[in-house]
């Protein structure tokens, strides 16, 4: 499953990724993901939405960079001074929510190994 959600803004495509690092940053800033989501839905200035989008964009760009791919990072200035018709209409909000939902669906599976079981018993 592809973990990256793309956001197209002003002719540029930005990768968004909900990673553990992004979750930690969001929780440090807003106390919890739940509080950030609530603020994104009620903040008339879009400040919370912009900040969460920038965190997710930085996470997406870092993820692609680790795989030797180049990706632009979204900045708060691009959102603040961007075209309101591109940012408005729920497109940015929908991209952020889609990114978080996609990341939340990821599961981590640990394979059991007879070797690991033997080591644990010693």
């Amino acid at each position: 499953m592809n973990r990256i959600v793309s956001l197209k803004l002003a002719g540029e495509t930005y990768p968004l990724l909900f990673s553990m690092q992004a979750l930690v940053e969001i929780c440090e800033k807003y106390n919890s993901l739940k509080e950030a989501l609530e603020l994104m839905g009620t903040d008339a200035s879009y400040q919370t939405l912009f900040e969460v989008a920038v965190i997710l964009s930085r996470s997406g760009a870092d993820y692609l960079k680790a795989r030797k791919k180049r990706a632009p990072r979204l900045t708060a200035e691009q959102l603040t001074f961007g075209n309101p018709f591109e940012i408005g209409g729920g497109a940015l909000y929908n991209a952020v929510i889609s990114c978080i939902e996609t990341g939340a669906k990821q599961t981590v599976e640990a394979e059991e190994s007879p070797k690991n079981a033997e080591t644990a018993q010693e």
Side-chain angles (χ1 to χ4, degrees):
M1 176 189 273
N2 187 7
R3 299 180 60 197
I4 299 286
V5 172
S6 296
L7 169 67
K8 191 164 187 164
L9 185 65
E12 189 79 48
T13 301
Y14 299 93
L16 304 180
L17 174 66
F18 183 66
S19 64
M20 285 302 296
Q21 181 61 38
L23 176 62
V24 167
E25 286 185 49
I26 291 168
C27 289
E28 285 175 350
K29 193 162 191 104
Y30 299 102
N31 298 320
S32 72
L33 180 59
K34 181 181 177 185
E35 285 186 42
L37 292 171
E38 287 173 0
L39 283 171
M40 282 181 0
T42 60
D43 184 7
S45 71
Y46 297 106
Q47 185 66 32
T48 304
L49 177 60
F50 289 1
E51 289 173 353
V52 171
V54 169
I55 290 169
L56 297 175
S57 175
R58 185 172 44 247
S59 180
D62 289 348
Y63 176 81
L64 292 175
K65 183 179 177 184
R67 277 145 189 75
K68 310 268 191 265
K69 297 180 182 176
R70 192 168 175 271
R73 289 184 183 196
L74 189 61
T75 66
E77 290 77 24
Q78 290 168 309
L79 293 169
T80 302
F81 300 110
N83 183 341
F85 294 106
E86 287 185 313
I87 296 168
L92 180 62
Y93 180 82
N94 290 339
V96 167
I97 295 300
S98 175
C99 177
I100 292 171
E101 287 174 350
T102 299
K105 288 179 186 176
Q106 298 297 314
T107 58
V108 178
E109 296 180 13
E111 272 187 44
E112 284 192 39
S113 165
K115 194 171 194 177
N116 289 343
E118 289 171 18
T119 304
Q121 291 177 357
E122 292 177 1

